[in-house]
Amino acid sequence: MASIVFVISITSGSILLLLSVWSLLTGRFQFWPPPSGNSWQYSVFWTLFRVMFVGLLVLCLIDFNSLSAHSKPNYILGVPLIMLGFGLAIFYTSYLGWDNAHGKSMGLKTRGIYQWSRNPIYVLSIVGMFGIGIVVNSLFV
């Protein structure tokens, strides 16, 4: 079961990556940010992202601690990464604005963390996901 969920989740993430890279390299279409909230790009992005993320959550439940016995270092390192990554991602989402964070252009932010990264919410979310992977102790996650 975990293998099936993993394949579905990794396939969704891979398609997202391929569409993004294709858009970046060819310039034939704009994938992200989407041209509008009604565009196919918006629908495809959020559908694939949700499939990938829900797959990650399901794997956390069904494949918890499948590698070996849990130890304190898993929690000592993983929990702060989860809290820091997702906590700051939520904070910056509120600063950027929900619509703007979801690809609806509401104006370019250039202050604070946005001086150094155009995508701090994604970077911070990845930090949180690494924390989840460490705590869950699963090769799939």
Side-chain angles (χ1 to χ4, degrees), residues 22-52:
W22 183 35
S23 175
L24 179 68
L25 295 178
T26 67
R28 292 185 184 178
F29 71 96
Q30 179 181 352
F31 184 66
W32 190 262
S36 74
N38 297 326
S39 66
W40 70 267
Q41 294 95 323
Y42 185 87
S43 298
V44 168
F45 178 88
W46 286 110
T47 300
L48 291 170
F49 179 82
R50 288 175 180 132
V51 168
M52 180 187 70

Side-chain angles (χ1 to χ4, degrees), residues 3 7 18 22 32 46 66 70 77-78 92 97 105 107 113 120 130 135:
S3 299
V7 167
L18 288 172
W22 183 35
W32 190 262
W46 286 110
S66 63
H70 244 77
L77 179 60
Y92 285 114
S105 184
I113 197 168
F130 273 113
V135 168

